[in-house]
Amino acid sequence: MVKSVLMVDDNPRVLHALHDLFMREGDFDVCGEAENGRDAIEKAKQLQPDLIVTDLSMPIMDGLEEARLLKKLMPTLPVIIYTAHSDPIVEKEARYAGASAVVSKSESVAVLIRTARSLFDRIAA
């Protein structure tokens, strides 16, 4: 079953790369893109994605605040924070905010895909 993904990042190159990465996988469909957390929340309400992959540091609204608000609005929606700021403190803050997982941008993109699939496996179980 194909899962819809909303991509969120203020860097257009990262958005494009993530879009291409997920579209190459047969079990994902990118349903939309956003450039900040506020835009992501509006698009999530409209598009009802199965997953959100979001950056941490963005203008207007960062990924932590986005995750907090999404947890209230759409509590079962998994959110992966995909960030260049990877350390235990950031991961703890992200999980406290409601993120389902944190993946470092320094990791292989295969880790991001594997994390997304494992979230769906946990939901299905």
Side-chain angles (χ1 to χ4, degrees):
M1 185 169 163
V2 176
K3 300 293 186 182
S4 61
V5 183
L6 175 63
M7 301 291 171
V8 188
D9 201 296
D10 60 320
N11 183 328
R13 283 192 222 136
V14 172
L15 268 182
H16 182 74
L18 288 174
H19 185 114
D20 288 351
L21 170 71
F22 275 83
M23 291 302 288
R24 281 195 303 265
E25 302 295 319
D27 51 341
F28 295 107
D29 177 48
V30 177
C31 65
E33 296 177 353
E35 62 185 27
N36 62 64
R38 186 179 346 163
D39 189 26
I41 289 168
E42 291 306 312
K43 288 190 176 175
K45 288 193 267 187
Q46 293 169 354
L47 301 170
Q48 297 293 306
D50 297 310
L51 170 70
I52 292 182
V53 176
T54 187
D55 191 15
L56 177 67
S57 298
M58 298 177 288
I60 301 175
M61 181 185 290
D62 68 20
L64 292 177
E65 187 60 24
E66 173 193 349
R68 267 187 217 94
L69 290 171
L70 285 168
K71 197 64 172 172
K72 290 177 186 172
L73 295 169
M74 306 169 91
T76 61
L77 177 63
V79 174
I80 297 174
I81 294 192
Y82 187 56
T83 180
H85 308 284
S86 62
D87 66 53
I89 294 170
V90 168
E91 185 163 345
K92 185 177 179 180
E93 285 181 37
R95 291 203 181 266
Y96 184 74
S100 307
V102 178
V103 176
S104 171
K105 288 181 179 177
S106 64
E107 301 250 16
S108 161
V109 291
V111 172
L112 179 59
I113 295 293
R114 191 169 48 247
T115 301
R117 287 186 177 126
S118 77
L119 288 174
F120 290 125
D121 290 345
R122 275 190 261 156
I123 291 167

